[in-house]
Amino acid sequence: MRICFSSFLLLCAVGSAQGGGATSTAAGSESMVTGTLSYRERIALPPDAVVRVQLRDVSLMDVTAKLISEQIIQPEHPVPIPFALPYQADDIDERMTYSVFATIRSGDRLLFVTDRSYRVLTHGNSDRVELILVQP
């Protein structure tokens, strides 16, 4: 049941990010990191391009960052591409550090990736971020 509810919330976030509409939060416990992603090159994405945007806890060194939220988008228009990453407010610890990462792939080929940490939520950082991706 929890997986179904999480899937529903993710679909709402995807619809909101792609349609530009507002997303309401359930009982105020769910929040969103929102933003757009783009790249500087003047090239169109192939029709099979897939965007993956992730919110991660990057507080601990030398360990894999904990995945908090993820959105997978099949872009229907050129950049900038909006995204929305839902998360439970209770899962965020003000002492920790959170970042947003993104990739754009076409099949097995990596086309674009974030090359720096885009920090959000804690330590004075916003819940809105503009990602610039680069070619690997």
Side-chain angles (χ1 to χ4, degrees):
M1 180 68 143
R2 185 171 187 217
I3 292 173
C4 291
F5 183 70
S6 297
S7 297
F8 170 75
L9 291 176
L10 186 58
L11 286 174
C12 289
V14 170
S16 173
Q18 290 181 344
T23 300
S24 61
T25 58
S29 65
E30 183 174 80
S31 299
M32 294 271 184
V33 171
T34 60
T36 61
L37 63 88
S38 59
Y39 49 86
R40 298 188 196 289
E41 290 77 6
R42 293 183 166 259
I43 56 175
L45 293 174
D48 69 336
V50 175
V51 176
R52 182 177 300 242
V53 187
Q54 297 179 330
L55 172 62
R56 299 180 193 165
D57 179 344
V58 295
S59 304
L60 301 175
M61 294 208 154
D62 300 330
V63 297
T64 303
K66 178 183 174 191
L67 180 64
I68 304 295
S69 182
E70 178 178 63
Q71 182 182 13
I72 297 173
I73 305 166
Q74 293 180 319
E76 298 174 1
H77 55 78
V79 295
I81 299 168
F83 65 85
L85 296 166
Y87 65 91
Q88 295 298 318
D90 294 342
D91 291 340
I92 303 302
D93 184 333
E94 289 298 320
R95 300 170 297 172
M96 301 303 184
T97 303
Y98 301 90
S99 288
V100 176
F101 300 89
T103 59
I104 302 176
R105 292 184 173 275
S106 174
D108 290 336
R109 204 175 74 196
L110 180 61
L111 302 176
F112 295 95
V113 63
T114 48
D115 67 341
R116 60 174 285 250
S117 178
Y118 289 89
R119 294 191 174 173
V120 293
L121 300 179
T122 57
H123 308 292
N125 294 299
S126 174
D127 62 355
R128 176 127 181 102
V129 65
E130 309 303 319
L131 306 177
I132 303 295
L133 282 67
V134 298
Q135 291 180 320

